Amino acid sequence: MKVRKAIIPAAGLGTRVLPASKAVPKEMLNIVDKPAIQYIVEEAVAAGIEDILIITNRGKGAIEDHFDHSFELEANLAGNPAKADLYESVKSVANLANICFIRQKETKGLAHAILCGKSFVGNEPFAVLYGDDVIISDDPVTAQLARCYEKYGKGVVGVNEVPEELIRLYCTLDVSPIPGESRAMNCRKIIEKPSPDQILSLYAILGRIVMPPETFEMIEKGIAETPEGGEFLLTDVFTELGMAGKLMAYDFDGKRYDMGNKLGIMKANCEVALNHPEIGDGFKEYLKELVKTF
């Protein structure tokens, strides 16, 4: 089946970027002139996704407002010919896709957040774009994974290799090559935040997955069997699919920025600004002068 629906979990508290995220959702922190979550939604739309569900929680109404019409602002801009481009850019945000919202009323982790989208997805495959991860690429990463899913009919996790000293912060995958494929691999097992003796490879899941509809039943079963106060990990679902021969890893082409990390936010702003059509040249000259002072 074609991948037409996507879930964007955006219910995290953003503790790594406090105090900025105290009053402003971390997903609404800017990369130059757009909030991070708009880049994620635009990627989904460019990949052919038609319906998007954003999982939020209390205090994140600004995300909903951003993807809605702002009639007073639009009316003000529409009446000024000199601001025609701004008018179109503001208006287009509300028309990107069919975007719905639901609150994760209890912060119980990523698997629970995805489960909140069960009725939205129904009996279809679906993409998940992590709300912390902005990935810039000419070919949308979601589209790369969706094509792999549509070709093989298996769950797909988007991966890149990470430095060995950082793999403990992510997860590690047991993967094997597929003849004739340069980026797609079979994946059998995943270990979350591995110790040095648990490292299976330097491939880690980085922000994008495409899953079959049975994922929801597997999450429900896992949560039901998890002791009170514990958190059921999505990686357990991946491993179950992998052991059944129903999971692939895809070494995607794209540059990822961790928007839940202060350095990641600065890297994203700097690198996007360098290629921005409006300020790129001026920013390059500024950086050239700035580095002379250090």
Side-chain angles (χ1 to χ4, degrees):
M1 293 179 66
K2 182 175 175 57
V3 181
R4 303 182 304 112
K5 295 184 177 181
I7 296 174
I8 301 177
L13 299 177
T15 53
R16 291 186 294 160
V17 292
L18 284 169
S21 57
K22 178 182 178 183
V24 178
K26 68 179 186 299
E27 297 84 6
M28 290 298 294
L29 296 177
N30 275 9
I31 301 177
V32 184
D33 53 1
K34 295 189 293 188
I37 197 165
Q38 185 174 333
Y39 287 86
I40 297 172
V41 168
E42 288 175 344
E43 178 195 325
V45 172
I49 298 297
E50 300 169 7
D51 301 306
I52 298 171
L53 177 66
I54 301 179
I55 310 293
T56 66
N57 64 11
R58 184 175 178 273
K60 298 208 174 189
I63 298 176
E64 296 186 38
D65 290 342
H66 181 71
F67 291 104
D68 197 357
H69 285 288
S70 177
F71 294 104
E72 290 184 3
L73 175 60
E74 290 174 18
N76 180 277
L77 295 173
N80 188 338
K83 296 182 178 180
D85 289 345
L86 281 176
Y87 169 69
E88 290 301 327
S89 66
V90 168
K91 185 179 178 181
S92 66
V93 173
N95 298 320
L96 283 169
N98 177 31
I99 303 176
C100 305
F101 299 86
I102 190 171
R103 285 190 176 186
Q104 183 186 19
K105 296 179 181 178
E106 300 176 89
T107 306
K108 291 185 175 181
L110 179 59
H112 180 267
I114 291 173
L115 183 59
C116 293
K118 180 181 178 181
S119 60
F120 166 82
V121 170
N123 192 34
E124 297 186 37
F126 62 101
V128 179
L129 297 83
Y130 295 12
D132 279 348
D133 293 305
V134 170
I135 307 178
I136 306 295
S137 58
D138 292 331
D139 182 12
V141 172
T142 300
Q144 296 174 43
L145 270 60
R147 290 194 298 267
C148 186
Y149 180 91
E150 291 160 12
K151 180 177 180 179
Y152 290 98
K154 300 179 181 181
V156 187
V157 292
V159 303
N160 279 164
E161 286 189 296
V162 301
E164 186 170 356
E165 64 270 19
L166 296 180
I167 194 73
R168 62 180 177 80
L169 302 176
Y170 298 96
C171 61
T172 182
L173 288 75
D174 178 15
V175 295
S176 59
I178 297 173
E181 292 283 1
S182 60
R183 292 184 175 273
M185 301 168 280
N186 285 315
C187 180
R188 291 178 295 275
K189 184 178 179 181
I190 298 173
I191 298 176
E192 187 83 16
K193 294 182 171 56
S195 60
D197 62 318
Q198 292 178 314
I199 296 175
L200 304 170
S201 73
L202 296 182
Y203 283 107
I205 299 171
L206 298 177
R208 301 291 184 270
I209 61 176
V210 174
M211 289 287 104
E214 58 261 35
T215 299
F216 295 110
E217 293 180 7
M218 297 167 70
I219 294 175
E220 286 178 323
K221 180 175 181 289
I223 290 176
E225 294 175 352
T226 300
E228 185 72 24
E231 178 186 334
F232 177 69
L233 299 176
L234 190 61
T235 48
D236 292 333
V237 171
F238 297 151
T239 292
E240 186 174 344
L241 286 171
M243 296 299 288
K246 297 180 179 180
L247 187 70
M248 303 181 72
Y250 192 90
D251 184 13
F252 64 78
D253 179 28
K255 180 63 180 291
R256 169 187 173 263
Y257 301 99
D258 182 357
M259 296 302 293
N261 175 285
K262 295 171 186 176
L263 182 58
I265 292 170
M266 296 308 300
K267 287 181 178 179
N269 273 278
C270 184
E271 294 178 28
V272 171
L274 285 170
N275 293 292
H276 195 283
E278 183 180 341
I279 67 170
D281 291 340
F283 190 62
K284 288 174 187 176
E285 293 305 314
Y286 165 73
L287 287 182
K288 289 177 183 178
E289 293 301 316
L290 181 63
V291 295
K292 293 178 183 178
T293 65
F294 288 89

